[in-house]
Amino acid sequence: MYDLKNIKNLLRNLEVLSGSFSDFHTDDVPETPHELFINWLYIAIREDILEPHAMTISTVDHDGYPDARVLILKNIDDNGWYFATSSESRKGQQLAEQSKVALTFYWPTLGKQVRIRGTAVETGSERSSADFLERSEMARAAAMIAKQSNLLLNKEELDNAFDQKIDIIKSNPDLVYPQWKLYCVHANQVEFWQGNTARKHTRLQYRLHNNQWTHELLWP
């Protein structure tokens, strides 16, 4: 076991920003952050980054407390970044009250981070249904149980719930869970951060104003 008295020293001595990071040349960047994000995503995929499409999505509850959790990016296009969840989940309920969200991507071995701020908008029943049916049977079953974040009494209860939903799905493979929602985050601010071992990080921020994107450098 670790000595809790020494945890501060343990954390202090862990390596950060280790690696050989590429330079971020900002003189000739795309007009929109969507294009640059796709470029960076392809780099992460090409470099075999583990789960490069994983992102942290942050929402706010009715008391103003932030919640953050990791989800999978479903798509990105000129409209924005896509994710899906149940409207009955904690984040679904928070989105119903406050649609402003933040997304964060971090690829540590590349020293790259992307921060996105914007509004999450439902894409409609047709696209939500299509997304749900593209999920695996186990993923669909998990959504249909509709008890995310509720108190779990024991693991047997969880196993039984999965078995019941899997049986339903197998007998009706086209069944759609109506509370499943596909959202698109319409961004108004996107920041690209390229780490530097000397702490001379490069930060490029895009901002949307009057439907036009502008960008500028920020101090690290």
Side-chain angles (χ1 to χ4, degrees), residues 37 55 76 81 101-105 114-118 185-192:
F37 177 85
M55 62 184 183
I76 175 177
W81 287 256
V101 300
L103 307 177
T104 307
F105 293 83
V114 182
R115 300 169 58 214
I116 301 159
R117 300 178 72 188
V185 176
H186 298 314
N188 54 49
Q189 183 175 306
V190 183
E191 180 191 313
F192 295 84

Side-chain angles (χ1 to χ4, degrees), residues 23-39:
D23 293 330
F24 182 14
H25 301 289
T26 60
D27 293 335
D28 185 23
V29 294
E31 293 183 0
T32 71
H34 310 73
E35 297 173 83
L36 182 54
F37 177 85
I38 291 173
N39 290 343

Side-chain angles (χ1 to χ4, degrees), residues 60-184:
V60 179
D61 69 12
H62 64 273
D63 292 321
Y65 287 99
D67 266 331
R69 76 289 285 169
V70 178
L71 292 183
I72 294 299
L73 177 70
K74 294 300 189 76
N75 193 15
I76 175 177
D77 58 23
D78 291 339
N79 292 314
W81 287 256
Y82 293 80
F83 70 92
T85 189
S86 167
S87 60
E88 296 180 328
S89 67
R90 182 174 295 173
K91 55 186 168 295
Q93 295 173 11
Q94 291 173 355
L95 288 169
E97 291 189 16
Q98 173 55 269
S99 61
K100 293 183 175 63
V101 300
L103 307 177
T104 307
F105 293 83
Y106 183 48
W107 304 300
T109 57
L110 300 176
K112 293 182 184 296
Q113 177 180 242
V114 182
R115 300 169 58 214
I116 301 159
R117 300 178 72 188
T119 302
V121 178
E122 290 185 28
T123 60
S125 59
E126 182 176 346
R127 298 183 70 177
S128 295
S129 297
D131 180 83
F132 183 77
L133 293 175
E134 289 172 355
R135 292 166 64 84
S136 68
E137 286 187 351
M138 291 298 288
R140 279 179 278 165
M144 291 173 62
I145 291 171
K147 290 187 177 182
Q148 190 180 73
S149 301
N150 289 347
L151 180 65
L152 177 65
L153 298 179
N154 54 66
K155 296 298 291 290
E156 184 179 41
E157 183 182 22
L158 175 66
D159 292 338
N160 290 337
F162 263 97
D163 290 342
Q164 292 173 5
K165 297 303 181 184
I166 288 293
D167 288 342
I168 293 173
I169 291 171
K170 287 185 179 298
S171 63
N172 188 358
D174 294 326
L175 180 65
V176 171
Y177 176 50
Q179 281 73 36
W180 189 253
K181 307 295 181 184
L182 179 68
Y183 295 86
C184 179

